[in-house]
Short mmCIF file of all heavy atoms in Angstrom, two decimals:
data_model
loop_
_atom_site.label_atom_id
_atom_site.label_comp_id
_atom_site.label_asym_id
_atom_site.label_seq_id
_atom_site.Cartn_x
_atom_site.Cartn_y
_atom_site.Cartn_z
N MET A 1 -162.33 10.26 58.62
CA MET A 1 -161.61 9.27 59.43
C MET A 1 -161.23 8.07 58.56
O MET A 1 -161.93 7.69 57.64
CB MET A 1 -162.48 8.79 60.59
CG MET A 1 -162.81 9.90 61.61
SD MET A 1 -163.83 9.32 62.96
CE MET A 1 -162.71 8.13 63.67
N GLY A 62 -110.16 -18.08 53.75
CA GLY A 62 -111.09 -17.37 54.61
C GLY A 62 -111.47 -16.03 54.00
O GLY A 62 -111.40 -15.82 52.79
N GLU A 198 -125.64 -39.30 79.07
CA GLU A 198 -126.77 -39.97 78.43
C GLU A 198 -127.73 -40.55 79.46
O GLU A 198 -128.96 -40.50 79.29
CB GLU A 198 -126.28 -41.08 77.51
CG GLU A 198 -125.70 -40.59 76.19
CD GLU A 198 -125.25 -41.72 75.30
OE1 GLU A 198 -125.10 -42.87 75.81
OE2 GLU A 198 -125.04 -41.49 74.10
N GLN A 247 -118.10 -39.50 89.64
CA GLN A 247 -118.63 -39.01 88.36
C GLN A 247 -118.47 -37.50 88.23
O GLN A 247 -118.11 -37.00 87.15
CB GLN A 247 -120.11 -39.40 88.24
CG GLN A 247 -120.35 -40.88 88.06
CD GLN A 247 -121.82 -41.23 88.08
OE1 GLN A 247 -122.59 -40.70 88.88
NE2 GLN A 247 -122.23 -42.14 87.20
#
Side-chain angles (χ1 to χ4, degrees):
M1 295 180 63
E198 284 181 344
Q247 291 174 319

